[in-house]
Amino acid sequence: MKNEADVVVIGGGINGCAIAYELAKRGKDIIVVERKWLAYGATGRCGAGIRQQWATKENAMLAKKSVEIFEGLSEELGYDIGLRQGGYLIAIHDEEGMKQAKKNVEMQRSIGLPVRIIGEDEIKEIAPILSPEGMEAIAATFCPTDGHANPFKTTYAYAMAAKKLGAEIYKFTEVKDIKVEEGKVKKVITNRGEIKTKYVVNAAGAWSREIGKMVGLEMPNKPVRKEAMVTEPLKRMFDCMVISFKHGIYFSQQDEGQILGGIPSPEEKVGYHTEPTFSFLKHMAHMLGKYAPSLKHVSILRQWTGFYDVTPDALPILGETSIEGFIQCNGFSGHGFMIAPMTARLLAQLICGEKIDMDISRLNMDRFKGEITEEKAVVG
Ligand SMILES: Cc1cc2nc3c(=O)[nH]c(=O)nc-3n(C[C@H](O)[C@H](O)[C@H](O)COP(=O)(O)OP(=O)(O)OC[C@H]3O[C@@H](n4cnc5c(N)ncnc54)[C@H](O)[C@@H]3O)c2cc1C
């Protein structure tokens, strides 16, 4: 194991691997430390949906710029990441929902997203499997360039490309402490040895708060258990992701034909709880049957849990901190896969002292000292 690097990235999820690649591309000497294996955290348990339809401009812009990167990523990284752009269909349930949807769509269109409001007939045209009545939907918003990619392939594609550029990736290497002297990052202590460095990127997902404590930072992130499930494979029926902010449900059909989705569990818990619940399965099956009645008798093959790394405003924590060299890249709540490509690029620009493509200063941790604007367009 090397004992010195320009930057030590903590966490081998989509964000850690994407940052490692962006930094290695800029000639930096990088070490990624992951206490288990790549995509062990939320990344390997996520729906991997890619949605640009957000209520806050920060999220919408990060997602839009990320989609632009996703579209060329298989070619750039030299490995097929399984990108499929079948759109996101977001149910609108009542007049209040319609008011918020119109506001969101206006902002989204102002930044160039091809989002539109569609009626019940078009909902059925786009996904004939859906029942607007069962969904309790009066309309929906639809963005055809939203989609999905394979989270394992994307993470490994970034990691392999970073390695080709000289980055070292140490699996089964757990960060135990970080040494800070005179307010500056000095070294990272792991179970396999010490690494001298001036920069640490905290991309430890739901465990980022513990990493923050190592440098004396109190972070507001909370780990929240989320559950997901997958059915048996079925013939191709629809291409879009279907979601509802009111019911919290999301589901899509995978390339191999399975329906993959989730919904907030009636027993949702804050803390590092990993056990799956039967109440989630019952609730998910009931709601899926209402949204798509023909799925009522389909077999569920598997369920699992993972953590959302939730912040008080559901926006990520990005950028510099009061500790020189300690860079935050966490708090992604339920959407850290879809905005990883742009986030990684911006943080690499920041670390390398380049001109930054997008102002992310509002996503700094200091925002929690003042009044916050909450992202309302969240599911799952
Ligand atoms: C059920 C579910 C569905 C989701 N659906 C979507 C979706 O459709 N679209 C979307 O964009 N997002 C979705 N998300 C959210 C998304 O998965 C996460 O925001 C994203 O994967 C976070 O990636 P990350 O690299 O920041 O963190 P993670 O993937 O959690 O990686 C963090 C890594 O840090 C490692 N680590 C922690 N502590 C240490 C330590 N001390 N030393 C070394 N390593 C350490 C962990 O082992 C872990 O591998 C979903 C999440 C869940 C749980």
Side-chain angles (χ1 to χ4, degrees):
M1 188 165 121
K2 271 171 58 177
N3 60 6
E4 195 162 359
D6 292 334
V7 185
V8 174
V9 178
I10 306 177
I14 184 68
N15 281 290
C17 293
I19 287 174
Y21 167 73
E22 288 288 347
L23 285 167
K25 206 167 86 173
R26 287 166 172 76
K28 293 282 179 196
D29 190 18
I30 308 301
I31 293 178
V32 178
V33 279
E34 164 54 55
R35 71 173 168 186
K36 299 271 188 180
W37 50 86
L38 298 185
Y40 162 80
T43 301
R45 299 152 195 267
C46 80
I50 302 168
R51 155 163 74 101
Q52 301 157 97
Q53 301 178 66
W54 289 93
T56 57
K57 209 168 184 171
E58 284 92 352
N59 269 339
M61 277 305 291
L62 279 170
K64 177 175 184 280
K65 294 282 178 193
S66 291
V67 165
E68 286 165 20
I69 300 173
F70 270 122
E71 284 169 344
L73 206 53
S74 297
E75 200 184 324
E76 180 174 348
L77 302 179
Y79 190 80
D80 183 4
I81 62 160
L83 178 70
R84 180 164 34 81
Q85 286 171 291
Y88 254 66
L89 188 148
I90 307 178
I92 302 171
H93 300 283
D94 48 32
E95 282 315 314
E96 205 188 312
M98 180 62 93
K99 228 164 90 185
Q100 181 68 40
K102 281 184 177 160
K103 211 170 129 196
N104 293 353
V105 169
E106 193 185 323
M107 179 275 287
Q108 292 154 3
R109 290 183 71 91
S110 78
I111 63 166
L113 291 172
V115 189
R116 62 185 199 276
I117 293 181
I118 57 174
E120 292 180 39
D121 287 349
E122 212 180 333
I123 292 178
K124 280 162 95 173
E125 239 171 69
I126 290 170
I129 190 171
L130 293 177
S131 156
E133 199 189 344
M135 294 164 75
E136 298 164 28
I138 56 170
T141 63
F142 185 70
C143 178
T145 54
D146 287 347
H148 172 272
N150 183 308
F152 297 98
K153 289 183 181 174
T154 312
T155 305
Y156 274 84
Y158 266 127
M160 288 187 303
K163 274 173 100 166
K164 267 193 202 149
L165 292 166
E168 299 277 336
I169 299 182
Y170 299 138
K171 292 179 237 174
F172 299 101
T173 307
E174 181 168 1
V175 174
K176 298 286 193 185
D177 202 2
I178 299 167
K179 289 285 169 231
V180 173
E181 281 169 26
E182 292 164 355
K184 294 179 190 164
V185 163
K186 290 288 174 198
K187 62 181 163 185
V188 174
I189 319 281
T190 78
N191 60 334
R192 295 178 55 213
E194 300 183 357
I195 309 164
K196 261 205 256 166
T197 188
K198 284 189 178 155
Y199 283 98
V200 164
V201 177
N202 180 8
W207 300 273
S208 293
R209 197 177 53 164
E210 318 307 322
I211 302 294
K213 277 187 200 153
M214 295 177 188
V215 296
L217 292 178
E218 259 316 310
M219 295 169 55
N221 314 36
K222 286 192 181 126
V224 179
R225 176 184 62 190
K226 292 286 170 181
E227 299 189 59
M229 61 100 232
V230 71
T231 70
E232 61 188 312
L234 305 165
K235 73 171 178 12
R236 183 108 229 124
M237 291 177 294
F238 63 108
D239 292 325
C240 62
M241 175 80 89
V242 180
I243 73 172
S244 157
F245 300 135
K246 181 178 166 192
H247 298 135
I249 192 169
Y250 66 92
F251 61 94
S252 66
Q253 189 168 23
Q254 304 296 289
D255 284 345
E256 300 78 13
Q258 314 94 316
I259 308 294
L260 188 152
I263 198 164
S265 160
E267 297 172 59
E268 196 153 278
K269 276 190 184 170
V270 172
Y272 295 107
H273 305 280
T274 52
E275 65 284 9
T277 66
F278 184 62
S279 61
F280 159 75
L281 273 190
K282 257 174 80 177
H283 185 43
M284 182 72 200
H286 172 71
M287 291 305 288
L288 196 57
K290 283 181 67 163
Y291 271 64
S294 60
L295 296 181
K296 264 185 189 157
H297 304 290
V298 163
S299 303
I300 293 175
L301 289 192
R302 197 162 73 83
Q303 83 181 102
W304 63 92
T305 61
F307 297 116
Y308 275 14
D309 172 28
V310 176
T311 61
D313 55 6
L315 286 162
I317 299 178
L318 303 179
E320 290 167 313
T321 60
S322 54
I323 307 296
E324 201 178 309
F326 188 78
I327 308 292
Q328 300 281 24
C329 174
N330 52 67
F332 289 99
S333 303
H335 48 279
F337 178 75
M338 62 183 83
I339 59 177
M342 188 58 183
T343 301
R345 187 166 290 180
L346 293 170
L347 290 180
Q349 289 170 342
L350 179 82
I351 291 168
C352 296
E354 293 173 14
K355 187 177 164 291
I356 299 174
D357 287 346
M358 197 184 133
D359 180 18
I360 47 166
S361 55
R362 210 184 76 72
L363 297 175
N364 197 281
M365 208 172 86
D366 288 345
R367 72 182 183 271
F368 299 111
K369 290 180 189 153
E371 208 172 290
I372 56 170
T373 313
E374 194 184 344
E375 170 59 77
K376 293 198 170 67
V378 290
V379 286

